[in-house]
Amino acid sequence: MKLSKTISALCLSLVLMISSFGTANAKRLHAAIADWTGGIITCEVAVAILEREMGYKVKQTVFPSGTGLWEAIAAGELDFACESWPSYAEADDVMFNEDLIYDGKVVKSYKGDGTVDLLGTTGIIGMSDYWIPKYAADELGIKTWKDLNKHKAKFATIETGGKGRLIGCPVAGWNCHDQKRLDLLGIDFQADELGTEAAAIAEAKAAYMRKEPFLLYLWSPHWFFGEFDMVGVQLPEYATCEGDTFTEANNWKTCGTKGWPATGWDKDYTMNYGNPATFAKAEHSEAKAFFEKMKLENIDQAKMLVQVDIKKRDVKEVVNEWLDNNPDKWKSWLPN
Amino acid sequence: MDAVQKTLENKNNTKSIIKYSLVLLVFIGALFLSTQNDGPSKFPKVVTDEFTFTAWVNEGEDYLKKNYRWITKILANYIKAGYYFLEDFLLDSPWILVAAILTLPCFIVGGLKLGLFSCFVIYFWGAVGLWEASLQTVALMGLSVSLCVFFGVLLGIACSQSDRFENFMKPVLDTMQVMPAFVYLFPALFFFGIGGAPAILATMIYSMPPIIRLTNTGIRQVSKETVESATSFGSSKLQLLLKIKIPMSLPSIMMGINQVIMMALALVVLACFIGAEGIGGQVWQAIRRLDVGWAMEGGLCILFMAIMFDRFSKACSNKEDKLPSNVKKFHLIPQNLEKYKIARILEMPLDITSKIIDFICIKITNYIAIFTSIVVSIFNKNTANDIGEFISRRFYLIPSLIALFVISFVDSNLYEIGTFPKEWKLSIRQPISNAVESLTVDPGFIAFSKGLRGFVYLNLLRPLDIFLTHTPWWYTLAVFASIGYFTVGLRFAIITIILLLFIGACGIWPQSMITLSSVLVSVLLCFIIGVPLGIIASYSERFKNIQDVVLDAMQTLPYFCYLIPVLMFFGGGIVSAVLATVIYAIPPIIRLTALGLTQVSSTYSEVSRSFGGSLLQTLGKVKFPLAVPSLVIGFNQTVIMAFAMQIVTPLIGGKGLGLEVFNGLARSDTGRGLAAGVGIVLLAIIIDRISLAWTKKQRIALGLAKK
């Protein structure tokens, strides 16, 4: 006991000594790691540039995306998060008070309370849909979502019984409302939430290998479309209802099947978002300027996705390699 | 003999026939009612609409946040500052210094064996590229364990001094131990923000009970004679406490520290869900990307860390004062291999180096001791001698100190050492992933895993799911209440009703039934697999030895890691969730079966043999019935562990209350998460109490315990 006491005293004194030599890091930010690979890569690009070019030190924390993350950012627990998809986020209308600008055009205006700061678009434009493999579409003659019910037995698994199965949105916090959408559209399928992107993709990949028909929720850019031949089921055009008439609380009733989620998703101009107080500070003005200029293209993210998810390489390594090889693409994002 | 006859008699009793037929009747009733329902049974809407527990919690949380957030924020900021400080120190200082700080205590306390092991552990962290994550975990551990020990010992002493305080603390400690950690892990998030601070606080709640208890009992167990003789020599109460009682209860306190360390490690890893950094986060990310190799590396890092901390704290607790004369010869290779020449040759260099190091250490320390005592003796002769002896006894500590200072001096003035060298990396990620991949494309294995998945789902999970969710809630409630009444008593039956009504009123009845069915299926599978293993272990000593090692490793591993192998071979889905639960919850059942069977006194089996009973008959008719109480304890522990596992299974496709907790977190809906978390706890408590009471009855019936 005495010995361990002495040891701990020793460690503590050492800590005190050495930390007094250490240099203080003023430019620190704390970011969230997203729960899908695309988001991870976009964030890693931003973090790598902040660290390599602008002398920041960014601490990264794994945190599930969703309203909880928005609240953590509003409370200042985290400084920023990357690649929010507006048609998924439920907190953006409440917490943003800014215009979303892409290529100089206002794509969406927010009138919330401004507890979260819209840092700017990431440049990635996302599209989501339900997909079936090409071979199944050809074989069964499925053209749109209306044909799905006729073949639901082919899409069934042991878990779903008589219904067909949708390999649905894997993460609850994304607010896809898959089952709701299926029910409102009258598609007699059961949405299966597998917990992670990787689990859902693994399931889809295995089914593709066996040439079984399957219905998959997926977004692009995603590497899956490069490897496998998929066809969208063309969900109805995106539509919203006026005001708050269409919410989970009133069981999506008031709007009938006219509004989301009885439709597909909107074209998503994805954006980065952060804590307003942090980015209002003078020492972070450079970071704010960078986020305003950042514009990663879909094709670049897709290339890195292949490296990370198919070649199983480390994200940091892949992103650094991309930065080294394509300086002309990102040099212009740096603040002057 | 008496007991054996009694069990045999019991079987033929008409009473038991009535009992079994009653059970059957109840079951048939449930089956009938469940087929009447089309959809899952729901609580009356009036109740769930009125009883908006979720909304109340959220409102309460908002109120607390608005009015008292500043207090928790200050607290969180202090803890955070401490944590960041420690983390920065570990991450920014040269890696050799960090390694030395971690390994030298191991060398000092645990000798060459533990020291070498700790070196390997630290090399492994760096080699697989989890250096930073491991150090973050170490920092979290260090801070939370030291806070736990500090407050735990204080509270323990307070308990030992005042009976009233002890009576007050007892139920508090009980609740702390029964509550699964995640129930307060998530509320901690909302009050203390994300990251290190809530993780440390939650860890403190989770792992403090054993040290409080052990300090308390340690001090209370100091023998009366000692206390009396001390008082008769005129020592005051404070002196008695500080000079006699606490030093004498040190072994007990050290045991408490060991437990605190192991429990803290389990929770610190789990705390990645609330944004704490470290290996847990790495494993989580790996699971998310289905990267088995990466997850395995993380899991091994945690396992090695756990073994290192465990051995270190154990070595601390049973340490006699080491003197230069009683340092034992070191044996890396088991001593019975000593007769082979190769073994001796292999051990030679180690032996020599350790001798040289010892020699240098002792010499240096002696010189320093002489030097300081000379310096001090200018002022005071007596203190000089004392100091000289004090230093010369610490012949490892002083050289270590010097080594640490030399390293930091070199780093800051001569040559920057930096972080763990990249060239030393040795990734086992790819080989593991490749091996798993080659197995998972093997048609035989696919058929096996698919068959198992289909079997478990179609024959066990789905029927039970449908049965439990479709049975009307009032029927299930009544069954639980009557089981509670017959096993424990009226009071417990009423409590059961209230608890279940609470679950129903929160609107999570269907989810809780799904959780219950996954737990029951997992426990059933645990029995089917675990009991035979336990029986084999009770007959074969060699098998038992091997099994013990495996089970030891399994029990040191945080439960998060059990998702990895399942994910590897069975993919995501509800069956995988059940299988992961089985792997996690199986050790107690194996252990206690083996223990129960070996403990049955040999007279009973002798008697049975002499009456001509075969091995199987002896096992089935005599040994097994007598081992039942032990088995039920195993059942009890397995059930609790299975419930605890429900919180992480949603990561690989588990459903029910665990998923609700996750959804609550992602949607920032504390009420929903809390209701589901509390639901798991309540179910666990009910089943725990029932099975404990049943064990007691069995023991009384067998004459093993008194009424």
Side-chain angles (χ1 to χ4, degrees):
Chain A
M1 191 62 189
K2 231 175 207 166
L3 189 63
S4 53
K5 249 190 221 160
T6 338
I7 291 167
S8 42
L10 151 78
C11 285
L12 202 71
S13 56
L14 258 176
V15 169
L16 289 170
M17 270 207 52
I18 288 167
S19 59
S20 57
F21 296 135
T23 49
N25 273 298
K27 285 167 100 182
R28 274 167 173 269
L29 285 172
H30 194 170
I33 300 179
D35 41 16
W36 69 102
T37 317
I40 295 173
I41 287 173
T42 305
C43 219
E44 198 54 54
V45 169
V47 168
I49 293 174
L50 284 171
E51 284 191 337
R52 277 172 45 160
E53 307 292 324
M54 297 160 70
Y56 272 91
K57 195 173 169 192
V58 185
K59 193 183 177 89
Q60 285 171 286
T61 294
V62 191
F63 202 80
S65 49
T67 322
L69 179 56
W70 284 73
E71 296 217 329
I73 286 176
E77 304 293 347
L78 287 164
D79 293 323
F80 71 92
C82 308
E83 211 190 294
S84 175
W85 292 45
S87 68
Y88 291 79
E90 286 184 341
D92 57 347
D93 290 320
V94 190
M95 297 172 118
F96 277 160
N97 187 15
E98 245 170 292
D99 288 338
L100 178 62
I101 299 164
Y102 185 86
D103 253 355
K105 270 179 291 179
V106 176
V107 252
K108 197 171 176 185
S109 337
Y110 289 104
K111 297 267 179 302
D113 58 7
T115 43
V116 175
D117 193 9
L118 172 52
L119 294 174
T121 54
T122 59
I124 302 289
I125 300 174
M127 279 305 296
S128 320
D129 202 351
Y130 293 153
W131 309 80
I132 51 174
K134 181 96 179 357
Y135 57 80
D138 291 344
E139 196 183 312
L140 304 169
I142 298 171
K143 293 218 164 54
T144 66
W145 57 274
K146 287 174 185 152
D147 304 325
L148 283 172
N149 268 349
K150 277 182 269 173
H151 306 284
K152 65 179 180 188
K154 295 242 166 59
F155 288 85
T157 62
I158 36 171
E159 279 97 343
T160 58
K163 291 181 170 188
R165 177 180 65 158
L166 163 71
I167 301 173
C169 209
V171 181
W174 293 358
N175 301 314
C176 293
H177 303 296
D178 284 321
Q179 194 59 56
K180 210 83 232 167
R181 176 179 295 107
L182 294 173
D183 293 348
L184 287 175
L185 291 173
I187 305 175
D188 194 19
F189 273 51
Q190 184 180 318
D192 215 358
E193 197 178 275
L194 289 172
T196 59
E197 175 195 353
I201 292 300
E203 197 74 17
K205 196 174 158 189
Y208 198 100
M209 292 300 186
R210 293 193 295 265
K211 294 283 177 228
E212 288 167 4
F214 63 93
L215 182 64
L216 171 72
Y217 152 84
L218 202 61
W219 64 93
S220 78
H222 200 286
W223 61 267
F224 198 79
F225 302 111
E227 290 265 298
F228 304 104
D229 208 353
M230 303 294 288
V231 196
V233 297
Q234 295 163 26
L235 292 170
E237 282 280 301
Y238 174 79
T240 43
C241 280
E242 286 303 311
D244 293 334
T245 53
F246 193 57
T247 61
E248 194 171 4
N250 70 19
N251 213 14
W252 314 104
K253 286 256 170 63
T254 325
C255 220
T257 53
K258 282 184 209 127
W260 196 82
T263 68
W265 285 262
D266 198 8
K267 195 179 195 181
D268 274 309
Y269 294 94
T270 66
M271 63 232 175
N272 299 319
Y273 50 116
N275 179 272
T278 308
F279 285 95
K281 280 183 197 154
E283 71 239 44
H284 295 309
S285 61
E286 279 196 341
K288 193 169 164 73
F290 159 73
F291 277 117
E292 269 160 17
K293 285 184 175 177
M294 179 176 176
K295 198 175 167 210
L296 184 65
E297 280 169 42
N298 280 20
I299 178 75
D300 291 317
Q301 198 201 55
K303 277 181 194 158
M304 286 186 266
L305 277 169
V306 170
Q307 293 294 319
V308 172
D309 268 338
I310 300 178
K311 304 243 166 91
K312 296 275 178 206
R313 289 177 59 197
D314 186 48
V315 180
K316 281 196 193 301
E317 203 181 294
V318 170
V319 167
N320 276 318
E321 193 179 282
W322 182 82
L323 292 177
D324 290 340
N325 295 336
N326 304 283
D328 49 314
K329 291 205 172 174
W330 55 268
K331 283 277 186 208
S332 58
W333 308 344
L334 294 175
N336 311 316
Chain B
M1 265 313 282
D2 221 352
V4 178
Q5 265 176 358
K6 254 190 187 160
T7 43
L8 289 176
E9 258 172 29
N10 258 347
K11 277 207 167 144
N12 304 328
N13 233 331
T14 43
K15 217 173 162 187
S16 70
I17 291 176
I18 296 173
K19 211 158 82 189
Y20 286 123
S21 54
L22 205 70
V23 169
L24 200 69
L25 211 68
V26 169
F27 181 71
I28 289 169
L31 212 57
F32 172 72
L33 283 168
S34 70
T35 50
Q36 296 296 303
N37 270 5
D38 283 342
S41 157
K42 276 192 185 133
F43 237 60
K45 212 171 162 6
V46 196
V47 182
T48 47
D49 281 351
E50 281 299 311
F51 188 81
T52 48
F53 177 74
T54 351
W56 298 339
V57 170
N58 288 340
E59 274 162 30
E61 186 206 336
D62 282 344
Y63 174 77
L64 288 175
K65 252 189 195 165
K66 237 175 237 157
N67 297 300
Y68 297 102
R69 185 68 204 266
W70 58 275
I71 301 178
T72 55
K73 213 156 194 186
I74 290 170
L75 196 61
N77 279 342
Y78 271 113
I79 296 175
K80 216 186 251 174
Y83 166 61
Y84 281 166
F85 186 62
L86 200 58
E87 190 197 358
D88 282 350
F89 164 67
L90 285 175
L91 292 184
D92 292 343
S93 41
W95 75 272
I96 297 179
L97 182 69
V98 177
I101 289 176
L102 290 170
T103 50
L104 284 177
C106 288
F107 272 113
I108 296 172
V109 178
L112 201 52
K113 202 170 191 172
L114 184 63
L116 285 178
F117 178 71
S118 69
C119 285
F120 163 73
V121 173
I122 282 165
Y123 166 70
F124 189 82
W125 292 348
V128 297
L130 294 173
W131 179 254
E132 291 193 1
S134 305
L135 290 185
Q136 281 169 336
T137 302
V138 169
L140 266 181
M141 281 283 297
L143 204 57
S144 45
V145 167
S146 40
L147 284 172
C148 271
V149 170
F150 179 72
F151 288 107
V153 170
L154 276 187
L155 285 173
I157 292 171
C159 276
S160 72
Q161 296 305 302
S162 149
D163 285 337
R164 194 181 285 171
F165 190 67
E166 195 196 5
N167 286 337
F168 164 74
M169 281 305 281
K170 253 188 185 158
V172 177
L173 292 179
D174 281 340
T175 347
M176 276 160 89
Q177 279 189 316
V178 172
M179 280 268 219
F182 50 83
V183 174
Y184 40 82
L185 203 58
F186 291 103
L189 175 73
F190 297 105
F191 289 110
F192 299 100
I194 69 167
I200 288 169
L201 285 166
T203 311
M204 279 175 67
I205 302 176
Y206 179 65
S207 47
M208 228 164 32
I211 190 150
I212 299 179
R213 274 175 210 256
L214 282 164
T215 309
N216 180 21
T217 48
I219 292 177
R220 277 173 191 271
Q221 273 169 1
V222 172
S223 77
K224 267 193 188 135
E225 287 84 38
T226 325
V227 175
E228 211 142 286
S229 61
T231 2
S232 66
F233 276 113
S235 60
S236 71
K237 217 172 174 195
L238 197 68
Q239 277 179 325
L240 185 70
L241 186 68
L242 292 177
K243 298 255 160 93
I244 308 283
K245 283 187 173 171
I246 294 179
M248 285 197 71
S249 57
L250 269 186
S252 172
I253 295 177
M254 285 312 291
M255 213 161 83
I257 294 178
N258 175 265
Q259 287 197 17
V260 166
I261 289 176
M262 298 321 284
M263 288 172 80
L265 186 63
L267 198 67
V268 159
V269 173
L270 192 68
C272 65
F273 291 133
I274 56 170
E277 298 85 1
I279 310 182
Q282 296 285 325
V283 175
W284 188 13
Q285 260 184 295
I287 288 176
R288 273 205 314 220
R289 281 178 52 189
L290 285 191
D291 192 331
V292 177
W294 185 8
M296 267 305 251
E297 284 178 352
L300 285 175
C301 277
I302 298 170
L303 178 67
F304 291 148
M305 190 188 287
I307 296 174
M308 181 171 89
F309 285 149
D310 182 49
R311 296 294 133 84
F312 175 70
S313 54
K314 270 189 188 147
C316 275
S317 61
N318 56 20
K319 183 182 147 25
E320 334 99 60
D321 244 359
K322 266 190 186 167
L323 289 173
S325 52
N326 66 13
V327 172
K328 282 181 205 115
K329 190 171 175 277
F330 168 74
H331 295 281
L332 185 72
I333 300 160
Q335 279 179 27
N336 51 2
L337 293 178
E338 198 87 328
K339 53 185 178 246
Y340 302 108
K341 205 172 180 192
I342 304 167
R344 262 175 288 159
I345 291 172
L346 275 175
E347 228 165 76
M348 197 92 119
L350 269 176
D351 200 30
I352 293 170
T353 20
S354 90
K355 265 185 190 147
I356 293 173
I357 291 171
D358 276 353
F359 180 75
I360 295 172
C361 285
I362 292 164
K363 271 277 161 327
I364 290 177
T365 323
N366 280 340
Y367 283 134
I368 292 174
I370 294 165
F371 178 72
T372 29
S373 64
I374 289 169
V375 172
V376 179
S377 67
I378 301 169
F379 307 103
N380 187 334
K381 246 198 167 130
N382 272 342
T383 15
N385 278 338
D386 284 351
I387 288 174
E389 202 187 330
F390 180 84
I391 291 174
S392 63
R393 280 166 80 101
R394 276 148 190 79
F395 54 95
Y396 280 140
L397 186 64
I398 306 288
S400 317
L401 263 170
I402 294 168
L404 292 183
F405 276 105
V406 167
I407 294 169
S408 49
F409 180 79
V410 167
D411 179 66
S412 52
N413 295 320
L414 299 175
Y415 168 76
E416 193 150 340
I417 298 172
T419 185
F420 195 84
K422 277 213 173 97
E423 307 80 59
W424 290 16
K425 278 206 172 139
L426 170 98
S427 185
I428 52 171
R429 215 175 271 194
Q430 216 50 45
I432 293 177
S433 296
N434 290 345
V436 171
E437 205 140 300
S438 66
L439 186 61
T440 44
V441 294
D442 179 64
F445 184 78
I446 290 175
F448 164 72
S449 67
K450 224 182 160 184
L452 188 67
R453 255 175 94 168
F455 174 78
V456 172
Y457 185 75
L458 286 178
N459 297 315
L460 299 170
L461 259 181
R462 196 172 63 171
L464 197 63
D465 254 3
I466 292 173
F467 173 64
L468 282 173
T469 49
H470 283 56
T471 309
W473 60 269
W474 46 268
Y475 196 83
T476 316
L477 194 102
V479 170
F480 265 106
S482 47
I483 294 175
Y485 177 70
F486 287 117
T487 48
V488 190
L490 184 64
R491 223 177 96 186
F492 181 70
I494 294 169
I495 293 174
T496 309
I497 292 175
I498 294 170
L499 296 184
L500 288 176
L501 278 178
F502 173 79
I503 292 177
C506 285
I508 47 171
W509 186 263
Q511 286 91 333
S512 56
M513 286 302 117
I514 291 174
T515 297
L516 187 63
S517 90
S518 332
V519 167
L520 289 181
V521 170
S522 319
V523 171
L524 181 75
L525 288 175
C526 280
F527 257 83
I528 295 173
I529 302 165
V531 171
L533 285 176
I535 292 175
I536 298 172
S538 77
Y539 280 102
S540 155
E541 192 66 24
R542 184 174 285 176
F543 184 77
K544 186 171 182 282
N545 288 340
I546 298 169
Q547 204 177 48
D548 273 348
V549 174
V550 176
L551 292 182
D552 270 341
M554 279 174 81
Q555 286 186 322
T556 31
L557 212 55
Y559 49 104
F560 194 60
C561 300
Y562 291 96
L563 303 178
I564 304 163
V566 176
L567 194 66
M568 219 149 79
F569 297 122
F570 297 98
I574 190 156
V575 176
S576 307
V578 166
L579 293 177
T581 313
V582 170
I583 300 177
Y584 174 65
I586 208 167
I589 208 98
I590 300 177
R591 284 232 155 117
L592 286 156
T593 310
L595 185 76
L597 289 177
T598 39
Q599 265 180 355
V600 170
S601 105
S602 51
T603 359
Y604 290 134
S605 38
E606 273 315 290
V607 170
S608 150
R609 289 269 179 80
S610 63
F611 277 113
S614 71
L615 193 72
L616 219 60
Q617 276 174 328
T618 316
L619 184 68
K621 298 252 160 100
V622 180
K623 276 191 165 184
F624 226 79
L626 282 168
V628 159
S630 170
L631 257 171
V632 177
I633 295 176
F635 167 79
N636 182 44
Q637 284 189 18
T638 299
V639 169
I640 299 296
M641 287 168 83
F643 270 114
M645 189 73 185
Q646 295 309 307
I647 191 63
V648 292
T649 52
L651 281 185
I652 57 166
K655 300 220 156 47
L657 292 175
L659 191 60
E660 280 289 298
V661 175
F662 259 80
N663 287 350
L665 176 67
R667 301 233 164 99
S668 183
D669 191 344
T670 321
R672 190 170 166 189
L674 193 69
V678 171
I680 300 181
V681 182
L682 298 183
L683 284 179
I685 288 176
I686 292 171
I687 293 189
D688 175 51
R689 288 293 298 275
I690 290 175
S691 67
L692 273 183
W694 191 56
T695 332
K696 213 173 164 194
K697 276 201 171 165
Q698 286 289 322
R699 289 174 76 91
I700 291 165
L702 289 169
L704 293 173
K706 278 178 205 144
K707 269 203 177 167

